[in-house]
Amino acid sequence: MSVRPDKDRRGLLVLLSVLLAICWTVQLPGIAHAIRTDSAVLSTKERDERLRSFEAVTERLYHAMQQGDTTAAHREMDQLIQALEGLSFKGLTSVDGIHALAECIIDTRETINRVKLSPEAWIEASARLRLAVNSLTHQRDALWQQYYKVMSSSLQDMGKARSGGDRSKFKAAMQSLQSHYEMIRPAAIIQRDPPAIHKFNSWLSYVERLGSEASWDESALKGAIDQGAPLLQELFGRKGNEPVFLPLIGSKSPWYWSALIGGWILLALTYTAMRKYQAEQAVSSVSRPRGTGGLFKKRD
């Protein structure tokens, strides 16, 4: 009985992936033959506007599904599909990213069309789609980047549970890490290179297998968990020794602190220059040695 829906889903996914792939490879009219011309600029502006409109529809769909508004959800989903027509994704993501976006859209539509409404499924599907679309329009500071802290915390909890031999806490932390990763995975695929995604997927499966064994291989499990931090940093584009800059608090205006820090730097430079000048004066004021004769006579 479940064969037909699966076939329909695969067919829809293929069709939507092909549609998005065409949008990725085909430029808007006038761009290919109008490099550095007004028409090219207008076409670029038009695509940016359509991308913003696409994101705005996704935001409305997200809020409708978060509130369980079925009428608004169906309406916004129809508008989202219409917003895809002729929209170019060239230069924004890879073919894998297009496939991930297509899968997100289809999963969300199927969630909406289910006879029995599941609030939890609506919340998860709409949030996943929102993160994916946001990653297309925000190459920097995308929303999915905010999940780094919570996933790092889950990874640390896994390490603590392993060292304490607490299987229930390890399982809970592992499930937390997996659920958060599933939430951001389409967005990460859109922005990251395939190797980073594949390595994290393989690592996650490996740790899950080690943690589910009847008898833990302590050394293997510890080594696997230790490998998680650098892989997580690579997934989120973080550097291992990247410094953390905390915002300055206690003043409503950051310009005050900028001026204060700048003043200290200027004061230090001025002090260094004065010391250097005084040292040069001390050297030049030393008395000339006797017997030098006319070596120091002023030349005509």
Side-chain angles (χ1 to χ4, degrees), residues 271-296:
Y271 175 75
T272 303
M274 290 179 62
R275 290 293 301 271
K276 183 178 180 180
Y277 176 77
Q278 291 175 354
E280 291 176 350
Q281 292 297 316
V283 171
S284 62
S285 63
V286 174
S287 59
R288 298 169 184 171
R290 296 180 179 179
T292 54
L295 291 177
F296 294 95

PDB file of all heavy atoms in Angstrom, residues 271-296:
ATOM      1  N   TYR A 271      54.157  58.426  22.891  1.00  0.00           N
ATOM      2  CA  TYR A 271      55.177  58.194  23.915  1.00  0.00           C
ATOM      3  C   TYR A 271      56.424  57.562  23.299  1.00  0.00           C
ATOM      4  O   TYR A 271      57.560  57.941  23.611  1.00  0.00           O
ATOM      5  CB  TYR A 271      54.590  57.289  25.001  1.00  0.00           C
ATOM      6  CG  TYR A 271      55.597  56.881  26.053  1.00  0.00           C
ATOM      7  CD1 TYR A 271      56.015  57.780  27.043  1.00  0.00           C
ATOM      8  CD2 TYR A 271      56.141  55.591  26.053  1.00  0.00           C
ATOM      9  CE1 TYR A 271      56.933  57.406  28.008  1.00  0.00           C
ATOM     10  CE2 TYR A 271      57.059  55.214  27.013  1.00  0.00           C
ATOM     11  CZ  TYR A 271      57.453  56.126  27.996  1.00  0.00           C
ATOM     12  OH  TYR A 271      58.358  55.741  28.935  1.00  0.00           O
ATOM     13  N   THR A 272      56.213  56.593  22.401  1.00  0.00           N
ATOM     14  CA  THR A 272      57.345  55.941  21.739  1.00  0.00           C
ATOM     15  C   THR A 272      58.133  56.938  20.904  1.00  0.00           C
ATOM     16  O   THR A 272      59.376  56.928  20.900  1.00  0.00           O
ATOM     17  CB  THR A 272      56.844  54.795  20.848  1.00  0.00           C
ATOM     18  OG1 THR A 272      56.095  53.871  21.654  1.00  0.00           O
ATOM     19  CG2 THR A 272      57.996  54.067  20.192  1.00  0.00           C
ATOM     20  N   ALA A 273      57.433  57.835  20.189  1.00  0.00           N
ATOM     21  CA  ALA A 273      58.105  58.833  19.356  1.00  0.00           C
ATOM     22  C   ALA A 273      58.915  59.806  20.210  1.00  0.00           C
ATOM     23  O   ALA A 273      60.040  60.192  19.862  1.00  0.00           O
ATOM     24  CB  ALA A 273      57.085  59.588  18.513  1.00  0.00           C
ATOM     25  N   MET A 274      58.393  60.215  21.374  1.00  0.00           N
ATOM     26  CA  MET A 274      59.106  61.137  22.268  1.00  0.00           C
ATOM     27  C   MET A 274      60.368  60.485  22.817  1.00  0.00           C
ATOM     28  O   MET A 274      61.423  61.120  22.887  1.00  0.00           O
ATOM     29  CB  MET A 274      58.179  61.570  23.411  1.00  0.00           C
ATOM     30  CG  MET A 274      57.037  62.490  22.967  1.00  0.00           C
ATOM     31  SD  MET A 274      55.963  62.939  24.353  1.00  0.00           S
ATOM     32  CE  MET A 274      57.133  63.801  25.404  1.00  0.00           C
ATOM     33  N   ARG A 275      60.284  59.211  23.189  1.00  0.00           N
ATOM     34  CA  ARG A 275      61.454  58.524  23.713  1.00  0.00           C
ATOM     35  C   ARG A 275      62.550  58.405  22.649  1.00  0.00           C
ATOM     36  O   ARG A 275      63.737  58.581  22.935  1.00  0.00           O
ATOM     37  CB  ARG A 275      61.051  57.118  24.197  1.00  0.00           C
ATOM     38  CG  ARG A 275      60.185  57.121  25.458  1.00  0.00           C
ATOM     39  CD  ARG A 275      61.006  57.619  26.658  1.00  0.00           C
ATOM     40  NE  ARG A 275      62.160  56.778  26.883  1.00  0.00           N
ATOM     41  CZ  ARG A 275      62.160  55.698  27.663  1.00  0.00           C
ATOM     42  NH1 ARG A 275      61.041  55.338  28.268  1.00  0.00           N
ATOM     43  NH2 ARG A 275      63.270  55.002  27.841  1.00  0.00           N
ATOM     44  N   LYS A 276      62.117  58.152  21.421  1.00  0.00           N
ATOM     45  CA  LYS A 276      63.081  58.042  20.332  1.00  0.00           C
ATOM     46  C   LYS A 276      63.756  59.385  20.066  1.00  0.00           C
ATOM     47  O   LYS A 276      64.975  59.475  19.859  1.00  0.00           O
ATOM     48  CB  LYS A 276      62.387  57.542  19.062  1.00  0.00           C
ATOM     49  CG  LYS A 276      63.332  57.340  17.893  1.00  0.00           C
ATOM     50  CD  LYS A 276      62.589  56.809  16.693  1.00  0.00           C
ATOM     51  CE  LYS A 276      63.550  56.617  15.518  1.00  0.00           C
ATOM     52  NZ  LYS A 276      62.842  56.104  14.318  1.00  0.00           N
ATOM     53  N   TYR A 277      62.977  60.493  20.111  1.00  0.00           N
ATOM     54  CA  TYR A 277      63.510  61.829  19.887  1.00  0.00           C
ATOM     55  C   TYR A 277      64.504  62.205  20.981  1.00  0.00           C
ATOM     56  O   TYR A 277      65.578  62.747  20.717  1.00  0.00           O
ATOM     57  CB  TYR A 277      62.373  62.836  19.832  1.00  0.00           C
ATOM     58  CG  TYR A 277      62.831  64.274  19.709  1.00  0.00           C
ATOM     59  CD1 TYR A 277      63.282  64.781  18.496  1.00  0.00           C
ATOM     60  CD2 TYR A 277      62.809  65.119  20.828  1.00  0.00           C
ATOM     61  CE1 TYR A 277      63.708  66.095  18.395  1.00  0.00           C
ATOM     62  CE2 TYR A 277      63.232  66.428  20.734  1.00  0.00           C
ATOM     63  CZ  TYR A 277      63.678  66.927  19.503  1.00  0.00           C
ATOM     64  OH  TYR A 277      64.084  68.222  19.406  1.00  0.00           O
ATOM     65  N   GLN A 278      64.168  61.902  22.237  1.00  0.00           N
ATOM     66  CA  GLN A 278      65.060  62.210  23.350  1.00  0.00           C
ATOM     67  C   GLN A 278      66.368  61.419  23.241  1.00  0.00           C
ATOM     68  O   GLN A 278      67.437  61.933  23.539  1.00  0.00           O
ATOM     69  CB  GLN A 278      64.360  61.888  24.670  1.00  0.00           C
ATOM     70  CG  GLN A 278      63.194  62.824  24.984  1.00  0.00           C
ATOM     71  CD  GLN A 278      62.447  62.401  26.227  1.00  0.00           C
ATOM     72  OE1 GLN A 278      62.730  61.347  26.795  1.00  0.00           O
ATOM     73  NE2 GLN A 278      61.477  63.215  26.649  1.00  0.00           N
ATOM     74  N   ALA A 279      66.281  60.185  22.795  1.00  0.00           N
ATOM     75  CA  ALA A 279      67.479  59.383  22.640  1.00  0.00           C
ATOM     76  C   ALA A 279      68.390  59.955  21.561  1.00  0.00           C
ATOM     77  O   ALA A 279      69.613  60.001  21.714  1.00  0.00           O
ATOM     78  CB  ALA A 279      67.095  57.943  22.288  1.00  0.00           C
ATOM     79  N   GLU A 280      67.799  60.417  20.460  1.00  0.00           N
ATOM     80  CA  GLU A 280      68.596  61.007  19.390  1.00  0.00           C
ATOM     81  C   GLU A 280      69.264  62.297  19.845  1.00  0.00           C
ATOM     82  O   GLU A 280      70.415  62.587  19.494  1.00  0.00           O
ATOM     83  CB  GLU A 280      67.717  61.253  18.172  1.00  0.00           C
ATOM     84  CG  GLU A 280      67.245  59.967  17.488  1.00  0.00           C
ATOM     85  CD  GLU A 280      66.290  60.262  16.353  1.00  0.00           C
ATOM     86  OE1 GLU A 280      65.857  61.438  16.243  1.00  0.00           O
ATOM     87  OE2 GLU A 280      65.974  59.324  15.590  1.00  0.00           O
ATOM     88  N   GLN A 281      68.548  63.107  20.630  1.00  0.00           N
ATOM     89  CA  GLN A 281      69.118  64.356  21.153  1.00  0.00           C
ATOM     90  C   GLN A 281      70.284  64.084  22.089  1.00  0.00           C
ATOM     91  O   GLN A 281      71.279  64.791  22.106  1.00  0.00           O
ATOM     92  CB  GLN A 281      68.029  65.177  21.867  1.00  0.00           C
ATOM     93  CG  GLN A 281      66.965  65.721  20.919  1.00  0.00           C
ATOM     94  CD  GLN A 281      67.551  66.690  19.910  1.00  0.00           C
ATOM     95  OE1 GLN A 281      68.357  67.557  20.261  1.00  0.00           O
ATOM     96  NE2 GLN A 281      67.157  66.549  18.647  1.00  0.00           N
ATOM     97  N   ALA A 282      70.155  63.027  22.894  1.00  0.00           N
ATOM     98  CA  ALA A 282      71.228  62.693  23.838  1.00  0.00           C
ATOM     99  C   ALA A 282      72.492  62.276  23.103  1.00  0.00           C
ATOM    100  O   ALA A 282      73.603  62.624  23.488  1.00  0.00           O
ATOM    101  CB  ALA A 282      70.756  61.582  24.772  1.00  0.00           C
ATOM    102  N   VAL A 283      72.353  61.572  21.999  1.00  0.00           N
ATOM    103  CA  VAL A 283      73.506  61.139  21.225  1.00  0.00           C
ATOM    104  C   VAL A 283      74.186  62.321  20.561  1.00  0.00           C
ATOM    105  O   VAL A 283      75.401  62.466  20.554  1.00  0.00           O
ATOM    106  CB  VAL A 283      73.070  60.101  20.169  1.00  0.00           C
ATOM    107  CG1 VAL A 283      74.214  59.802  19.214  1.00  0.00           C
ATOM    108  CG2 VAL A 283      72.602  58.818  20.842  1.00  0.00           C
ATOM    109  N   SER A 284      73.400  63.251  19.995  1.00  0.00           N
ATOM    110  CA  SER A 284      73.969  64.395  19.271  1.00  0.00           C
ATOM    111  C   SER A 284      74.603  65.426  20.195  1.00  0.00           C
ATOM    112  O   SER A 284      75.413  66.243  19.772  1.00  0.00           O
ATOM    113  CB  SER A 284      72.868  65.059  18.432  1.00  0.00           C
ATOM    114  OG  SER A 284      71.851  65.557  19.273  1.00  0.00           O
ATOM    115  N   SER A 285      74.251  65.422  21.489  1.00  0.00           N
ATOM    116  CA  SER A 285      74.781  66.423  22.421  1.00  0.00           C
ATOM    117  C   SER A 285      76.062  65.979  23.115  1.00  0.00           C
ATOM    118  O   SER A 285      76.606  66.692  23.955  1.00  0.00           O
ATOM    119  CB  SER A 285      73.719  66.753  23.479  1.00  0.00           C
ATOM    120  OG  SER A 285      73.420  65.599  24.235  1.00  0.00           O
ATOM    121  N   VAL A 286      76.558  64.788  22.810  1.00  0.00           N
ATOM    122  CA  VAL A 286      77.791  64.301  23.431  1.00  0.00           C
ATOM    123  C   VAL A 286      78.952  65.170  22.947  1.00  0.00           C
ATOM    124  O   VAL A 286      79.062  65.490  21.771  1.00  0.00           O
ATOM    125  CB  VAL A 286      78.029  62.829  23.056  1.00  0.00           C
ATOM    126  CG1 VAL A 286      79.388  62.367  23.585  1.00  0.00           C
ATOM    127  CG2 VAL A 286      76.912  61.967  23.620  1.00  0.00           C
ATOM    128  N   SER A 287      79.884  65.605  23.880  1.00  0.00           N
ATOM    129  CA  SER A 287      81.014  66.488  23.513  1.00  0.00           C
ATOM    130  C   SER A 287      81.952  65.798  22.557  1.00  0.00           C
ATOM    131  O   SER A 287      82.169  64.585  22.633  1.00  0.00           O
ATOM    132  CB  SER A 287      81.785  66.884  24.779  1.00  0.00           C
ATOM    133  OG  SER A 287      82.278  65.736  25.436  1.00  0.00           O
ATOM    134  N   ARG A 288      82.522  66.572  21.623  1.00  0.00           N
ATOM    135  CA  ARG A 288      83.429  66.023  20.627  1.00  0.00           C
ATOM    136  C   ARG A 288      84.750  65.657  21.296  1.00  0.00           C
ATOM    137  O   ARG A 288      85.272  66.372  22.127  1.00  0.00           O
ATOM    138  CB  ARG A 288      83.679  67.048  19.532  1.00  0.00           C
ATOM    139  CG  ARG A 288      82.401  67.428  18.793  1.00  0.00           C
ATOM    140  CD  ARG A 288      82.654  68.639  17.916  1.00  0.00           C
ATOM    141  NE  ARG A 288      81.422  69.048  17.286  1.00  0.00           N
ATOM    142  CZ  ARG A 288      81.290  70.177  16.600  1.00  0.00           C
ATOM    143  NH1 ARG A 288      82.321  70.997  16.495  1.00  0.00           N
ATOM    144  NH2 ARG A 288      80.136  70.486  16.046  1.00  0.00           N
ATOM    145  N   PRO A 289      85.348  64.575  20.915  1.00  0.00           N
ATOM    146  CA  PRO A 289      86.634  64.151  21.518  1.00  0.00           C
ATOM    147  C   PRO A 289      87.773  65.051  21.086  1.00  0.00           C
ATOM    148  O   PRO A 289      87.735  65.636  20.010  1.00  0.00           O
ATOM    149  CB  PRO A 289      86.805  62.729  20.970  1.00  0.00           C
ATOM    150  CG  PRO A 289      85.997  62.694  19.720  1.00  0.00           C
ATOM    151  CD  PRO A 289      84.842  63.607  19.954  1.00  0.00           C
ATOM    152  N   ARG A 290      88.815  65.182  21.926  1.00  0.00           N
ATOM    153  CA  ARG A 290      89.975  66.018  21.615  1.00  0.00           C
ATOM    154  C   ARG A 290      90.840  65.359  20.566  1.00  0.00           C
ATOM    155  O   ARG A 290      90.880  64.151  20.432  1.00  0.00           O
ATOM    156  CB  ARG A 290      90.799  66.258  22.884  1.00  0.00           C
ATOM    157  CG  ARG A 290      90.065  67.039  23.946  1.00  0.00           C
ATOM    158  CD  ARG A 290      90.953  67.235  25.167  1.00  0.00           C
ATOM    159  NE  ARG A 290      90.270  67.995  26.194  1.00  0.00           N
ATOM    160  CZ  ARG A 290      90.791  68.294  27.370  1.00  0.00           C
ATOM    161  NH1 ARG A 290      92.036  67.869  27.653  1.00  0.00           N
ATOM    162  NH2 ARG A 290      90.116  68.989  28.259  1.00  0.00           N
ATOM    163  N   GLY A 291      91.590  66.232  19.872  1.00  0.00           N
ATOM    164  CA  GLY A 291      92.545  65.744  18.904  1.00  0.00           C
ATOM    165  C   GLY A 291      91.961  65.404  17.566  1.00  0.00           C
ATOM    166  O   GLY A 291      92.621  64.781  16.746  1.00  0.00           O
ATOM    167  N   THR A 292      90.765  65.785  17.320  1.00  0.00           N
ATOM    168  CA  THR A 292      90.164  65.475  16.035  1.00  0.00           C
ATOM    169  C   THR A 292      90.515  66.502  15.008  1.00  0.00           C
ATOM    170  O   THR A 292      90.197  66.348  13.837  1.00  0.00           O
ATOM    171  CB  THR A 292      88.638  65.393  16.188  1.00  0.00           C
ATOM    172  OG1 THR A 292      88.172  66.600  16.774  1.00  0.00           O
ATOM    173  CG2 THR A 292      88.264  64.202  17.055  1.00  0.00           C
ATOM    174  N   GLY A 293      91.161  67.565  15.422  1.00  0.00           N
ATOM    175  CA  GLY A 293      91.638  68.560  14.473  1.00  0.00           C
ATOM    176  C   GLY A 293      90.528  69.162  13.669  1.00  0.00           C
ATOM    177  O   GLY A 293      89.534  69.608  14.180  1.00  0.00           O
ATOM    178  N   GLY A 294      90.771  69.163  12.346  1.00  0.00           N
ATOM    179  CA  GLY A 294      89.800  69.810  11.456  1.00  0.00           C
ATOM    180  C   GLY A 294      88.773  68.873  10.911  1.00  0.00           C
ATOM    181  O   GLY A 294      88.101  69.197   9.933  1.00  0.00           O
ATOM    182  N   LEU A 295      88.669  67.691  11.475  1.00  0.00           N
ATOM    183  CA  LEU A 295      87.685  66.751  10.952  1.00  0.00           C
ATOM    184  C   LEU A 295      86.261  67.271  11.065  1.00  0.00           C
ATOM    185  O   LEU A 295      85.424  66.931  10.257  1.00  0.00           O
ATOM    186  CB  LEU A 295      87.792  65.405  11.702  1.00  0.00           C
ATOM    187  CG  LEU A 295      89.063  64.585  11.436  1.00  0.00           C
ATOM    188  CD1 LEU A 295      89.059  63.346  12.296  1.00  0.00           C
ATOM    189  CD2 LEU A 295      89.163  64.231   9.952  1.00  0.00           C
ATOM    190  N   PHE A 296      86.019  68.148  12.067  1.00  0.00           N
ATOM    191  CA  PHE A 296      84.675  68.636  12.296  1.00  0.00           C
ATOM    192  C   PHE A 296      84.494  70.071  11.871  1.00  0.00           C
ATOM    193  O   PHE A 296      83.549  70.720  12.247  1.00  0.00           O
ATOM    194  CB  PHE A 296      84.281  68.500  13.780  1.00  0.00           C
ATOM    195  CG  PHE A 296      84.189  67.079  14.207  1.00  0.00           C
ATOM    196  CD1 PHE A 296      85.262  66.460  14.816  1.00  0.00           C
ATOM    197  CD2 PHE A 296      83.025  66.346  13.995  1.00  0.00           C
ATOM    198  CE1 PHE A 296      85.184  65.153  15.225  1.00  0.00           C
ATOM    199  CE2 PHE A 296      82.946  65.050  14.423  1.00  0.00           C
ATOM    200  CZ  PHE A 296      84.023  64.433  15.029  1.00  0.00           C
TER     201      PHE A 296
END
